[in-house]
Amino acid sequence: MASRGRKRKAEAAVAVAEKREKLTSGGKGMEEVTVVIEHCTSRVYGRNAAALSQALRLEAPELPVKVNPAKPRRGSFEVTLLRPDGSSAELWTGIKKGPPRKLKFPEPQEVVEELKKYLS
């Protein structure tokens, strides 16, 4: 019997990681530091991402903040700092946190403090 063309989980994870890296880099070299917020598309995640992006924009108005530049992973909430040299620093990840769900979301001030560490 022929296979149905399904990808194995490991192959799919590698493909998703490569695709996300291509999309976040935009296919061209970055000239500036960027903050990327990846969040699941449910309402609760969106509200928290909006509050966090607002806090980041108030603290560092010169930094661009991108929310979901690529299709987000299910149940994800991550904040990443992308540097011009192509490296990245994870400011927050809530993927392995919870239950309860509220543990997945950081206090905006925590992320701002972490951002200050990486920028100085």
Side-chain angles (χ1 to χ4, degrees), residues 17-76:
E18 289 173 357
K19 185 177 179 183
R20 180 180 316 126
E21 191 170 316
K22 286 180 186 177
L23 289 173
T24 56
S25 67
K28 58 186 176 209
M30 291 179 9
E31 295 84 29
E32 58 185 8
V33 177
T34 307
V35 177
V36 177
I37 300 174
E38 176 192 4
H39 70 88
C40 181
T41 55
S42 78
R43 236 181 276 155
V44 174
Y45 288 80
R47 272 188 253 135
N48 286 295
L52 182 59
S53 67
Q54 183 180 13
L56 289 170
R57 287 183 179 120
L58 288 173
E59 186 62 37
E62 71 281 355
L63 281 180
V65 178
K66 295 181 181 179
V67 179
N68 283 346
K71 184 178 178 189
R73 294 169 288 168
R74 180 177 170 263
S76 67

